[in-house]
Amino acid sequence: MPSYSAITSAVVRDIKAREDALPVRNEACRSRFYFQPAPAAKTCLFFHGFTAGPYQFVPMAEALFRAGYNVLIPRMPGHGLAGDWGKDNPPPLPTKAEDYQKFALQWLQLAQTLGGQVVVGGLSGGGTLAGWLAVERPQVISRAILYAAFLSSSSKVIDLFVRNLDSYNEWVNPKPEAARYGYNGFMIPALRVFLLMGTDILKRSRRGPIAPTFAISSESDIAVGNHDHRSLFESGVKYQPKCWYQRFDRILDIPHTMLTLEEGNNYQDLLIAMTKAYIESDLTWTEVEDIGYCMTRGKTFDIAVSELNLAQKVSRDMPAMMTMVDKRAIAMSRGPRSRGDR
């Protein structure tokens, strides 16, 4: 069995050689690796968004690396390649789910060889792939975090087009970073892969099992169907009580590209704190609601977790997470006889 240092050195060397040979579109599209000098308690495997690149996860990765974790952000198949791409020469994105699934399983296996627990996550199409791993390999994944996962679009009409058309499409008013780093357009069958995978994930989540999964969405996101994020959570929590769900209020104006300040999220640090809270806490969703209910009764976070005997199960970042939890809705649903009312 190769040593930890041999594995990490080989990953950096081999992936660099492969991407040099392609070549990649630019440095932002290269795979990124953040390896601790010795085996870490957790390794985070992140998948970037459709037509984008690993650059999307850099702020998140840097924060998690500082927290002591390994972080892997591999370039997705067919993404980030140099070329004069357009309608007459579309980028070579996969049109079969198997290509992405094989890729995800290979990286999951590598993450396991580094030791410790494995956390998977992804944005948009990358979130779809992380969700697939959550239902495909629930026994080996400690946590899955789906940021605005593409399980369906925000419109049934768009879903109908994606399912049936084979034409070329360009992004409307893409973010400057997307235009500078990623692809401006794609063949619709390349997006269809994620829609069909998302449909399958929702079906499988209703039958269980699923890894502990945190689905995060935003009311301001006009790209994906937030209702399916909620549905995934409601199905998953029946089999896995440590599933969480959070939808950002419209007033925060957090876009689909929610990971970075550069791509429009002015609450980047809050999202990072929420991610750390999920990775580092050991709470069921019911326990999260218990804390929230106590707080609606005038108790501080610290007093609430102490009275509920949860102090050893919460991350230092959990108070930031609780600022986002809809405590009013919890109070209205529970009534005065909740066990959290003391």
Side-chain angles (χ1 to χ4, degrees), residues 47-51 76-77 79 93-97 99-101 123-130 132 149-153 159 162-163 186 188-201:
F47 303 120
H48 62 79
F50 179 64
T51 73
M76 294 262 275
H79 286 70
L93 295 165
T95 56
K96 295 181 179 179
D99 292 333
Y100 287 109
Q101 292 166 350
L123 171 68
S124 190
T128 314
L129 194 55
W132 180 78
F150 182 67
L151 306 177
S152 67
S153 77
D159 284 349
V162 172
R163 288 180 182 277
F186 55 92
I188 288 181
L191 181 59
R192 185 181 305 145
V193 170
F194 295 102
L195 178 61
L196 297 179
M197 201 184 309
T199 301
D200 180 59
I201 292 166

Side-chain angles (χ1 to χ4, degrees), residues 36 61-70 276 280 316-317:
Q36 300 293 335
E62 291 176 344
L64 293 174
F65 179 73
R66 289 193 297 271
Y69 308 136
N70 288 323
K276 290 175 65 182
E280 296 172 353
R316 288 181 296 177
D317 289 284

